[in-house]
Amino acid sequence: KKQFPNPQKTTSIFKSILNVRKEVFFHSSFGECKAQRTRKPAHLLVFYGFILLLGVTVYAIYAALTHRYPLALWNPAKITGNVAALMLLTGTGIMIHNRLANKTNYGKNSYSDWLLLISLFLLTLSGVMVEMARFLNWPSAYFIYFLHLILVWFIIIYAPYTKFGHFIYRTVALVFIQSRTGK
């Protein structure tokens, strides 16, 4: 017989979100994996690199709309974007290396795993190339930018079908479990 949580002992959704934030922001359960020690730092680099680049992109759109664009190389947003790009390239590079080296049998090398890793790596690399092309006045800058935009939309459209979607799905599941069990 299954035991269901007592509905009178549920936690509010806001308290559940606060309780889950440590797991989401610090990937605390990843520290339990002793077989592959690079897994947690790689995920953290990708997670925070992506969030930082998302913020920089929103700022760049705002700057373009308010005619404060292009940003200089010493602009704090540009520096943050470059650091975040390095974080993403490093994190996805570690993940790709671990999968190719197959150091452990943890996880599967499925199509959706590779789809996200390769597309995120290429998206970041094309973003770096767009920046270089723009500052060095390469004639191919617009073609590289077009490729970058295709990769942006590819990531957005395929997000629910790759491991990228698990960021949202896992967070919602953790909040739900926390609200029902307090664990």
Side-chain angles (χ1 to χ4, degrees):
K1 181 178 174 183
K2 273 192 168 180
Q3 295 291 324
F4 291 99
N6 184 345
Q8 289 150 358
K9 290 189 177 183
T10 59
T11 308
S12 77
I13 192 75
F14 298 110
K15 189 173 180 184
S16 298
I17 290 170
L18 288 175
N19 291 339
V20 167
R21 75 178 186 265
K22 181 180 176 190
E23 174 60 32
V24 171
F25 290 115
F26 299 111
H27 291 58
S28 53
S29 65
F30 273 52
E32 298 167 7
C33 179
K34 303 296 182 209
Q36 196 172 5
R37 296 189 190 277
T38 58
R39 193 167 173 238
K40 182 177 180 178
H43 274 85
L44 287 172
L45 285 168
V46 169
F47 180 75
Y48 284 110
F50 188 84
I51 289 174
L52 286 172
L53 275 177
L54 188 61
V56 168
T57 301
V58 169
Y59 178 77
I61 292 169
Y62 168 77
L65 293 174
T66 58
H67 307 292
R68 294 185 184 115
Y69 197 80
L71 303 173
L73 272 175
W74 56 87
N75 184 295
K78 184 67 80 173
I79 293 168
T80 302
N82 289 330
V83 169
L86 184 61
M87 290 168 67
L88 258 173
L89 288 172
T90 303
T92 55
I94 291 169
M95 290 176 179
I96 290 169
H97 175 267
N98 285 345
R99 289 192 179 279
L100 288 173
N102 198 15
K103 291 182 177 178
T104 67
N105 289 330
Y106 185 85
K108 300 173 190 151
N109 284 321
S110 68
Y111 168 76
S112 66
D113 295 340
W114 280 109
L115 181 67
L116 176 65
L117 281 176
I118 300 294
S119 58
L120 197 53
F121 184 82
L122 291 175
L123 175 65
T124 308
L125 188 62
S126 68
V128 170
M129 290 179 64
V130 165
E131 182 181 17
M132 287 175 31
R134 205 177 109 10
F135 280 106
L136 298 175
N137 291 322
W138 292 353
S140 60
Y142 289 106
F143 296 109
I144 298 169
Y145 185 61
F146 182 71
L147 172 68
H148 181 68
L149 289 178
I150 289 171
L151 289 165
V152 166
W153 282 106
F154 182 83
I155 292 274
I156 291 170
I157 291 168
Y158 279 91
Y161 308 107
T162 64
K163 284 247 177 147
F164 193 64
H166 101 122
F167 165 70
I168 295 166
Y169 307 144
R170 179 168 165 73
T171 303
V172 169
L174 287 172
V175 169
F176 178 76
I177 290 168
Q178 174 62 231
S179 71
R180 296 293 178 223
T181 63
K183 296 179 184 178

